[in-house]
PDB file of all heavy atoms in Angstrom:
ATOM      1  N   LYS A  18       2.940   5.248 -17.027  1.00  0.00           N
ATOM      2  CA  LYS A  18       1.855   5.446 -17.925  1.00  0.00           C
ATOM      3  C   LYS A  18       2.353   6.142 -19.154  1.00  0.00           C
ATOM      4  O   LYS A  18       1.906   5.971 -20.297  1.00  0.00           O
ATOM      5  CB  LYS A  18       0.743   6.287 -17.219  1.00  0.00           C
ATOM      6  CG  LYS A  18      -0.004   5.533 -16.303  1.00  0.00           C
ATOM      7  CD  LYS A  18      -0.985   6.386 -15.509  1.00  0.00           C
ATOM      8  CE  LYS A  18      -1.770   5.678 -14.497  1.00  0.00           C
ATOM      9  NZ  LYS A  18      -2.696   6.509 -13.753  1.00  0.00           N
ATOM     10  N   GLU A  19       3.320   7.110 -18.988  1.00  0.00           N
ATOM     11  CA  GLU A  19       3.851   7.800 -20.041  1.00  0.00           C
ATOM     12  C   GLU A  19       4.710   6.805 -20.947  1.00  0.00           C
ATOM     13  O   GLU A  19       4.652   6.931 -22.211  1.00  0.00           O
ATOM     14  CB  GLU A  19       4.788   8.915 -19.612  1.00  0.00           C
ATOM     15  CG  GLU A  19       3.959  10.053 -18.837  1.00  0.00           C
ATOM     16  CD  GLU A  19       3.145  10.860 -19.839  1.00  0.00           C
ATOM     17  OE1 GLU A  19       3.621  11.111 -20.861  1.00  0.00           O
ATOM     18  OE2 GLU A  19       2.056  11.212 -19.319  1.00  0.00           O
ATOM     19  N   LEU A  20       5.451   5.990 -20.281  1.00  0.00           N
ATOM     20  CA  LEU A  20       6.283   5.023 -21.095  1.00  0.00           C
ATOM     21  C   LEU A  20       5.354   4.198 -21.964  1.00  0.00           C
ATOM     22  O   LEU A  20       5.725   3.851 -23.159  1.00  0.00           O
ATOM     23  CB  LEU A  20       7.116   4.159 -20.162  1.00  0.00           C
ATOM     24  CG  LEU A  20       7.918   3.181 -20.741  1.00  0.00           C
ATOM     25  CD1 LEU A  20       9.085   3.730 -21.601  1.00  0.00           C
ATOM     26  CD2 LEU A  20       8.571   2.234 -19.615  1.00  0.00           C
ATOM     27  N   ARG A  21       4.165   3.747 -21.464  1.00  0.00           N
ATOM     28  CA  ARG A  21       3.345   2.824 -22.159  1.00  0.00           C
ATOM     29  C   ARG A  21       2.861   3.593 -23.474  1.00  0.00           C
ATOM     30  O   ARG A  21       2.691   2.878 -24.481  1.00  0.00           O
ATOM     31  CB  ARG A  21       2.159   2.485 -21.285  1.00  0.00           C
ATOM     32  CG  ARG A  21       1.200   1.483 -22.037  1.00  0.00           C
ATOM     33  CD  ARG A  21       0.117   0.986 -21.048  1.00  0.00           C
ATOM     34  NE  ARG A  21      -0.551  -0.037 -21.750  1.00  0.00           N
ATOM     35  CZ  ARG A  21      -1.599  -0.719 -21.288  1.00  0.00           C
ATOM     36  NH1 ARG A  21      -1.985  -0.505 -20.017  1.00  0.00           N
ATOM     37  NH2 ARG A  21      -2.132  -1.723 -21.889  1.00  0.00           N
ATOM     38  N   SER A  22       2.738   4.830 -23.505  1.00  0.00           N
ATOM     39  CA  SER A  22       2.231   5.593 -24.641  1.00  0.00           C
ATOM     40  C   SER A  22       3.181   5.607 -25.757  1.00  0.00           C
ATOM     41  O   SER A  22       2.794   5.750 -26.835  1.00  0.00           O
ATOM     42  CB  SER A  22       1.674   6.944 -24.274  1.00  0.00           C
ATOM     43  OG  SER A  22       2.804   7.713 -23.954  1.00  0.00           O
ATOM     44  N   VAL A  23       4.501   5.262 -25.497  1.00  0.00           N
ATOM     45  CA  VAL A  23       5.417   5.393 -26.603  1.00  0.00           C
ATOM     46  C   VAL A  23       5.996   3.951 -26.907  1.00  0.00           C
ATOM     47  O   VAL A  23       6.811   3.920 -27.888  1.00  0.00           O
ATOM     48  CB  VAL A  23       6.638   6.306 -26.229  1.00  0.00           C
ATOM     49  CG1 VAL A  23       6.113   7.693 -25.990  1.00  0.00           C
ATOM     50  CG2 VAL A  23       7.388   5.844 -24.892  1.00  0.00           C
ATOM     51  N   LEU A  24       5.660   2.971 -26.175  1.00  0.00           N
ATOM     52  CA  LEU A  24       6.171   1.579 -26.521  1.00  0.00           C
ATOM     53  C   LEU A  24       5.195   0.805 -27.356  1.00  0.00           C
ATOM     54  O   LEU A  24       3.926   1.060 -27.217  1.00  0.00           O
ATOM     55  CB  LEU A  24       6.477   0.777 -25.296  1.00  0.00           C
ATOM     56  CG  LEU A  24       7.527   1.314 -24.334  1.00  0.00           C
ATOM     57  CD1 LEU A  24       7.586   0.442 -23.045  1.00  0.00           C
ATOM     58  CD2 LEU A  24       8.877   1.338 -25.034  1.00  0.00           C
ATOM     59  N   SER A  25       5.602  -0.067 -28.031  1.00  0.00           N
ATOM     60  CA  SER A  25       4.829  -1.071 -28.801  1.00  0.00           C
ATOM     61  C   SER A  25       4.043  -1.970 -27.717  1.00  0.00           C
ATOM     62  O   SER A  25       4.694  -2.131 -26.727  1.00  0.00           O
ATOM     63  CB  SER A  25       5.510  -1.961 -29.839  1.00  0.00           C
ATOM     64  OG  SER A  25       6.325  -2.805 -29.140  1.00  0.00           O
ATOM     65  N   PRO A  26       2.934  -2.405 -28.032  1.00  0.00           N
ATOM     66  CA  PRO A  26       2.174  -3.302 -27.078  1.00  0.00           C
ATOM     67  C   PRO A  26       2.961  -4.547 -26.824  1.00  0.00           C
ATOM     68  O   PRO A  26       2.977  -5.033 -25.637  1.00  0.00           O
ATOM     69  CB  PRO A  26       0.884  -3.598 -27.906  1.00  0.00           C
ATOM     70  CG  PRO A  26       0.697  -2.504 -28.776  1.00  0.00           C
ATOM     71  CD  PRO A  26       2.033  -2.077 -29.261  1.00  0.00           C
ATOM     72  N   GLU A  27       3.713  -5.000 -27.739  1.00  0.00           N
ATOM     73  CA  GLU A  27       4.566  -6.236 -27.529  1.00  0.00           C
ATOM     74  C   GLU A  27       5.623  -5.988 -26.418  1.00  0.00           C
ATOM     75  O   GLU A  27       5.822  -6.694 -25.509  1.00  0.00           O
ATOM     76  CB  GLU A  27       5.156  -6.715 -28.761  1.00  0.00           C
ATOM     77  CG  GLU A  27       4.207  -7.148 -29.728  1.00  0.00           C
ATOM     78  CD  GLU A  27       3.544  -6.108 -30.641  1.00  0.00           C
ATOM     79  OE1 GLU A  27       4.158  -4.962 -30.557  1.00  0.00           O
ATOM     80  OE2 GLU A  27       2.455  -6.312 -31.255  1.00  0.00           O
ATOM     81  N   VAL A  28       6.273  -4.841 -26.622  1.00  0.00           N
ATOM     82  CA  VAL A  28       7.367  -4.504 -25.661  1.00  0.00           C
ATOM     83  C   VAL A  28       6.796  -4.144 -24.274  1.00  0.00           C
ATOM     84  O   VAL A  28       7.316  -4.667 -23.119  1.00  0.00           O
ATOM     85  CB  VAL A  28       8.266  -3.267 -26.132  1.00  0.00           C
ATOM     86  CG1 VAL A  28       9.193  -2.744 -25.044  1.00  0.00           C
ATOM     87  CG2 VAL A  28       8.943  -3.667 -27.472  1.00  0.00           C
ATOM     88  N   TRP A  29       5.693  -3.465 -24.280  1.00  0.00           N
ATOM     89  CA  TRP A  29       5.006  -3.134 -22.858  1.00  0.00           C
ATOM     90  C   TRP A  29       4.627  -4.553 -22.209  1.00  0.00           C
ATOM     91  O   TRP A  29       4.884  -4.697 -21.108  1.00  0.00           O
ATOM     92  CB  TRP A  29       3.831  -2.335 -23.195  1.00  0.00           C
ATOM     93  CG  TRP A  29       3.037  -2.126 -21.949  1.00  0.00           C
ATOM     94  CD1 TRP A  29       1.921  -2.770 -21.426  1.00  0.00           C
ATOM     95  CD2 TRP A  29       3.354  -1.266 -20.804  1.00  0.00           C
ATOM     96  NE1 TRP A  29       1.613  -2.388 -20.213  1.00  0.00           N
ATOM     97  CE2 TRP A  29       2.483  -1.464 -19.740  1.00  0.00           C
ATOM     98  CE3 TRP A  29       4.399  -0.254 -20.668  1.00  0.00           C
ATOM     99  CZ2 TRP A  29       2.551  -0.686 -18.528  1.00  0.00           C
ATOM    100  CZ3 TRP A  29       4.350   0.396 -19.514  1.00  0.00           C
ATOM    101  CH2 TRP A  29       3.547   0.195 -18.527  1.00  0.00           C
ATOM    102  N   ASP A  30       4.057  -5.417 -22.914  1.00  0.00           N
ATOM    103  CA  ASP A  30       3.549  -6.687 -22.344  1.00  0.00           C
ATOM    104  C   ASP A  30       4.782  -7.490 -21.895  1.00  0.00           C
ATOM    105  O   ASP A  30       4.656  -8.136 -20.716  1.00  0.00           O
ATOM    106  CB  ASP A  30       2.784  -7.550 -23.303  1.00  0.00           C
ATOM    107  CG  ASP A  30       1.425  -6.972 -23.556  1.00  0.00           C
ATOM    108  OD1 ASP A  30       0.886  -6.097 -22.702  1.00  0.00           O
ATOM    109  OD2 ASP A  30       0.786  -7.285 -24.470  1.00  0.00           O
ATOM    110  N   GLN A  31       5.799  -7.532 -22.689  1.00  0.00           N
ATOM    111  CA  GLN A  31       6.979  -8.273 -22.298  1.00  0.00           C
ATOM    112  C   GLN A  31       7.770  -7.769 -21.119  1.00  0.00           C
ATOM    113  O   GLN A  31       8.183  -8.503 -20.244  1.00  0.00           O
ATOM    114  CB  GLN A  31       7.833  -8.520 -23.362  1.00  0.00           C
ATOM    115  CG  GLN A  31       9.126  -9.345 -23.102  1.00  0.00           C
ATOM    116  CD  GLN A  31       9.980  -9.512 -24.308  1.00  0.00           C
ATOM    117  OE1 GLN A  31       9.625  -9.143 -25.434  1.00  0.00           O
ATOM    118  NE2 GLN A  31      11.202 -10.012 -24.063  1.00  0.00           N
ATOM    119  N   ASP A  32       8.006  -6.383 -21.061  1.00  0.00           N
ATOM    120  CA  ASP A  32       8.875  -5.860 -20.009  1.00  0.00           C
ATOM    121  C   ASP A  32       8.214  -4.981 -18.950  1.00  0.00           C
ATOM    122  O   ASP A  32       8.897  -4.946 -17.853  1.00  0.00           O
ATOM    123  CB  ASP A  32       9.880  -4.842 -20.789  1.00  0.00           C
ATOM    124  CG  ASP A  32      10.737  -5.586 -21.809  1.00  0.00           C
ATOM    125  OD1 ASP A  32      10.972  -6.812 -21.640  1.00  0.00           O
ATOM    126  OD2 ASP A  32      11.150  -4.880 -22.773  1.00  0.00           O
ATOM    127  N   TRP A  33       7.059  -4.517 -19.120  1.00  0.00           N
ATOM    128  CA  TRP A  33       6.560  -3.525 -18.124  1.00  0.00           C
ATOM    129  C   TRP A  33       5.118  -3.859 -17.619  1.00  0.00           C
ATOM    130  O   TRP A  33       4.695  -3.133 -16.622  1.00  0.00           O
ATOM    131  CB  TRP A  33       6.530  -2.177 -18.780  1.00  0.00           C
ATOM    132  CG  TRP A  33       7.937  -1.736 -19.086  1.00  0.00           C
ATOM    133  CD1 TRP A  33       8.548  -1.630 -20.189  1.00  0.00           C
ATOM    134  CD2 TRP A  33       8.883  -1.242 -18.122  1.00  0.00           C
ATOM    135  NE1 TRP A  33       9.879  -1.199 -20.179  1.00  0.00           N
ATOM    136  CE2 TRP A  33      10.118  -0.960 -18.795  1.00  0.00           C
ATOM    137  CE3 TRP A  33       8.837  -1.137 -16.790  1.00  0.00           C
ATOM    138  CZ2 TRP A  33      11.227  -0.525 -18.201  1.00  0.00           C
ATOM    139  CZ3 TRP A  33      10.009  -0.613 -16.077  1.00  0.00           C
ATOM    140  CH2 TRP A  33      11.193  -0.322 -16.815  1.00  0.00           C
ATOM    141  N   ARG A  34       4.364  -4.722 -18.219  1.00  0.00           N
ATOM    142  CA  ARG A  34       2.978  -4.964 -17.801  1.00  0.00           C
ATOM    143  C   ARG A  34       2.921  -5.476 -16.336  1.00  0.00           C
ATOM    144  O   ARG A  34       2.223  -4.914 -15.597  1.00  0.00           O
ATOM    145  CB  ARG A  34       2.263  -5.962 -18.696  1.00  0.00           C
ATOM    146  CG  ARG A  34       0.819  -6.199 -18.363  1.00  0.00           C
ATOM    147  CD  ARG A  34       0.168  -7.130 -19.378  1.00  0.00           C
ATOM    148  NE  ARG A  34       0.920  -8.389 -19.591  1.00  0.00           N
ATOM    149  CZ  ARG A  34       0.754  -9.554 -18.851  1.00  0.00           C
ATOM    150  NH1 ARG A  34      -0.009  -9.507 -17.827  1.00  0.00           N
ATOM    151  NH2 ARG A  34       1.485 -10.538 -19.048  1.00  0.00           N
ATOM    152  N   GLU A  35       3.720  -6.393 -15.935  1.00  0.00           N
ATOM    153  CA  GLU A  35       3.679  -6.948 -14.647  1.00  0.00           C
ATOM    154  C   GLU A  35       4.205  -5.919 -13.624  1.00  0.00           C
ATOM    155  O   GLU A  35       3.450  -5.679 -12.589  1.00  0.00           O
ATOM    156  CB  GLU A  35       4.499  -8.165 -14.495  1.00  0.00           C
ATOM    157  CG  GLU A  35       3.862  -9.395 -15.228  1.00  0.00           C
ATOM    158  CD  GLU A  35       2.593  -9.759 -14.559  1.00  0.00           C
ATOM    159  OE1 GLU A  35       2.460  -9.844 -13.287  1.00  0.00           O
ATOM    160  OE2 GLU A  35       1.678 -10.237 -15.382  1.00  0.00           O
ATOM    161  N   PRO A  36       5.329  -5.289 -13.706  1.00  0.00           N
ATOM    162  CA  PRO A  36       5.648  -4.253 -12.731  1.00  0.00           C
ATOM    163  C   PRO A  36       4.692  -3.171 -12.617  1.00  0.00           C
ATOM    164  O   PRO A  36       4.349  -2.722 -11.518  1.00  0.00           O
ATOM    165  CB  PRO A  36       7.039  -3.742 -13.267  1.00  0.00           C
ATOM    166  CG  PRO A  36       7.569  -4.803 -14.201  1.00  0.00           C
ATOM    167  CD  PRO A  36       6.346  -5.406 -14.667  1.00  0.00           C
ATOM    168  N   SER A  37       4.049  -2.826 -13.782  1.00  0.00           N
ATOM    169  CA  SER A  37       3.060  -1.765 -13.638  1.00  0.00           C
ATOM    170  C   SER A  37       1.823  -2.106 -12.910  1.00  0.00           C
ATOM    171  O   SER A  37       1.267  -1.391 -12.068  1.00  0.00           O
ATOM    172  CB  SER A  37       2.719  -1.200 -15.078  1.00  0.00           C
ATOM    173  OG  SER A  37       1.672  -0.227 -15.013  1.00  0.00           O
ATOM    174  N   ALA A  38       1.473  -3.429 -13.170  1.00  0.00           N
ATOM    175  CA  ALA A  38       0.231  -3.911 -12.549  1.00  0.00           C
ATOM    176  C   ALA A  38       0.430  -3.965 -11.003  1.00  0.00           C
ATOM    177  O   ALA A  38      -0.405  -3.642 -10.180  1.00  0.00           O
ATOM    178  CB  ALA A  38      -0.167  -5.263 -13.064  1.00  0.00           C
ATOM    179  N   ARG A  39       1.703  -4.414 -10.588  1.00  0.00           N
ATOM    180  CA  ARG A  39       1.963  -4.536  -9.155  1.00  0.00           C
ATOM    181  C   ARG A  39       1.973  -3.138  -8.500  1.00  0.00           C
ATOM    182  O   ARG A  39       1.413  -2.959  -7.376  1.00  0.00           O
ATOM    183  CB  ARG A  39       3.404  -5.184  -8.963  1.00  0.00           C
ATOM    184  CG  ARG A  39       3.297  -6.691  -9.182  1.00  0.00           C
ATOM    185  CD  ARG A  39       4.590  -7.404  -8.644  1.00  0.00           C
ATOM    186  NE  ARG A  39       5.818  -6.742  -9.267  1.00  0.00           N
ATOM    187  CZ  ARG A  39       6.442  -7.174 -10.239  1.00  0.00           C
ATOM    188  NH1 ARG A  39       6.047  -8.245 -11.006  1.00  0.00           N
ATOM    189  NH2 ARG A  39       7.548  -6.658 -10.666  1.00  0.00           N
ATOM    190  N   LEU A  40       2.516  -2.160  -9.177  1.00  0.00           N
ATOM    191  CA  LEU A  40       2.517  -0.814  -8.641  1.00  0.00           C
ATOM    192  C   LEU A  40       1.109  -0.210  -8.527  1.00  0.00           C
ATOM    193  O   LEU A  40       0.755   0.427  -7.586  1.00  0.00           O
ATOM    194  CB  LEU A  40       3.399   0.064  -9.467  1.00  0.00           C
ATOM    195  CG  LEU A  40       3.625   1.493  -8.889  1.00  0.00           C
ATOM    196  CD1 LEU A  40       4.301   1.471  -7.497  1.00  0.00           C
ATOM    197  CD2 LEU A  40       4.586   2.225  -9.822  1.00  0.00           C
ATOM    198  N   ARG A  41       0.274  -0.488  -9.622  1.00  0.00           N
ATOM    199  CA  ARG A  41      -1.140  -0.018  -9.562  1.00  0.00           C
ATOM    200  C   ARG A  41      -1.879  -0.715  -8.416  1.00  0.00           C
ATOM    201  O   ARG A  41      -2.610  -0.053  -7.605  1.00  0.00           O
ATOM    202  CB  ARG A  41      -1.789  -0.342 -10.872  1.00  0.00           C
ATOM    203  CG  ARG A  41      -1.984   0.771 -11.820  1.00  0.00           C
ATOM    204  CD  ARG A  41      -2.898   0.478 -13.005  1.00  0.00           C
ATOM    205  NE  ARG A  41      -3.057  -0.861 -13.348  1.00  0.00           N
ATOM    206  CZ  ARG A  41      -2.290  -1.560 -14.224  1.00  0.00           C
ATOM    207  NH1 ARG A  41      -1.356  -1.088 -14.764  1.00  0.00           N
ATOM    208  NH2 ARG A  41      -2.677  -2.865 -14.484  1.00  0.00           N
ATOM    209  N   ASP A  42      -1.667  -1.970  -8.180  1.00  0.00           N
ATOM    210  CA  ASP A  42      -2.317  -2.724  -7.130  1.00  0.00           C
ATOM    211  C   ASP A  42      -1.880  -2.137  -5.727  1.00  0.00           C
ATOM    212  O   ASP A  42      -2.748  -1.971  -4.886  1.00  0.00           O
ATOM    213  CB  ASP A  42      -2.006  -4.224  -7.184  1.00  0.00           C
ATOM    214  CG  ASP A  42      -2.679  -4.895  -8.397  1.00  0.00           C
ATOM    215  OD1 ASP A  42      -3.582  -4.260  -8.928  1.00  0.00           O
ATOM    216  OD2 ASP A  42      -2.281  -6.064  -8.649  1.00  0.00           O
ATOM    217  N   LEU A  43      -0.673  -1.836  -5.679  1.00  0.00           N
ATOM    218  CA  LEU A  43      -0.073  -1.225  -4.424  1.00  0.00           C
ATOM    219  C   LEU A  43      -0.726   0.113  -4.159  1.00  0.00           C
ATOM    220  O   LEU A  43      -1.171   0.441  -3.008  1.00  0.00           O
ATOM    221  CB  LEU A  43       1.430  -1.109  -4.487  1.00  0.00           C
ATOM    222  CG  LEU A  43       2.197  -0.562  -3.338  1.00  0.00           C
ATOM    223  CD1 LEU A  43       2.067  -1.582  -2.176  1.00  0.00           C
ATOM    224  CD2 LEU A  43       3.582  -0.329  -3.659  1.00  0.00           C
ATOM    225  N   HIS A  44      -0.845   0.924  -5.181  1.00  0.00           N
ATOM    226  CA  HIS A  44      -1.471   2.200  -5.119  1.00  0.00           C
ATOM    227  C   HIS A  44      -2.905   2.150  -4.758  1.00  0.00           C
ATOM    228  O   HIS A  44      -3.425   2.987  -3.977  1.00  0.00           O
ATOM    229  CB  HIS A  44      -1.260   2.973  -6.391  1.00  0.00           C
ATOM    230  CG  HIS A  44      -1.648   4.407  -6.365  1.00  0.00           C
ATOM    231  ND1 HIS A  44      -1.027   5.329  -5.736  1.00  0.00           N
ATOM    232  CD2 HIS A  44      -2.807   5.056  -6.966  1.00  0.00           C
ATOM    233  CE1 HIS A  44      -1.709   6.511  -5.873  1.00  0.00           C
ATOM    234  NE2 HIS A  44      -2.699   6.346  -6.566  1.00  0.00           N
ATOM    235  N   LYS A  45      -3.693   1.145  -5.190  1.00  0.00           N
ATOM    236  CA  LYS A  45      -5.048   1.030  -4.944  1.00  0.00           C
ATOM    237  C   LYS A  45      -5.371   0.328  -3.609  1.00  0.00           C
ATOM    238  O   LYS A  45      -6.466   0.395  -3.116  1.00  0.00           O
ATOM    239  CB  LYS A  45      -5.700   0.131  -6.093  1.00  0.00           C
ATOM    240  CG  LYS A  45      -5.740   0.953  -7.348  1.00  0.00           C
ATOM    241  CD  LYS A  45      -6.424   0.013  -8.423  1.00  0.00           C
ATOM    242  CE  LYS A  45      -6.461   0.652  -9.751  1.00  0.00           C
ATOM    243  NZ  LYS A  45      -7.003  -0.201 -10.695  1.00  0.00           N
ATOM    244  N   ALA A  46      -4.393  -0.313  -2.945  1.00  0.00           N
ATOM    245  CA  ALA A  46      -4.636  -1.049  -1.697  1.00  0.00           C
ATOM    246  C   ALA A  46      -5.040  -0.198  -0.615  1.00  0.00           C
ATOM    247  O   ALA A  46      -4.539   0.980  -0.489  1.00  0.00           O
ATOM    248  CB  ALA A  46      -3.367  -1.841  -1.348  1.00  0.00           C
ATOM    249  N   PRO A  47      -5.981  -0.652   0.141  1.00  0.00           N
ATOM    250  CA  PRO A  47      -6.489   0.227   1.273  1.00  0.00           C
ATOM    251  C   PRO A  47      -5.329   0.350   2.242  1.00  0.00           C
ATOM    252  O   PRO A  47      -4.383  -0.522   2.499  1.00  0.00           O
ATOM    253  CB  PRO A  47      -7.683  -0.582   1.846  1.00  0.00           C
ATOM    254  CG  PRO A  47      -7.532  -1.931   1.374  1.00  0.00           C
ATOM    255  CD  PRO A  47      -6.810  -1.872   0.030  1.00  0.00           C
ATOM    256  N   THR A  48      -5.336   1.492   2.932  1.00  0.00           N
ATOM    257  CA  THR A  48      -4.177   1.732   3.889  1.00  0.00           C
ATOM    258  C   THR A  48      -4.634   1.377   5.183  1.00  0.00           C
ATOM    259  O   THR A  48      -5.829   1.320   5.542  1.00  0.00           O
ATOM    260  CB  THR A  48      -3.859   3.311   3.921  1.00  0.00           C
ATOM    261  OG1 THR A  48      -4.981   3.944   4.361  1.00  0.00           O
ATOM    262  CG2 THR A  48      -3.402   3.809   2.546  1.00  0.00           C
TER     263      THR A  48
END
Side-chain angles (χ1 to χ4, degrees):
K18 288 179 185 178
E19 295 291 320
L20 180 63
R21 186 174 187 177
S22 71
V23 298
L24 294 177
S25 70
E27 296 81 17
V28 171
W29 175 261
D30 286 342
Q31 181 178 348
D32 296 337
W33 296 103
R34 183 177 49 87
E35 289 295 322
S37 178
R39 287 194 305 267
L40 188 57
R41 257 191 341 271
D42 290 346
L43 183 67
H44 185 70
K45 291 178 183 177
T48 61

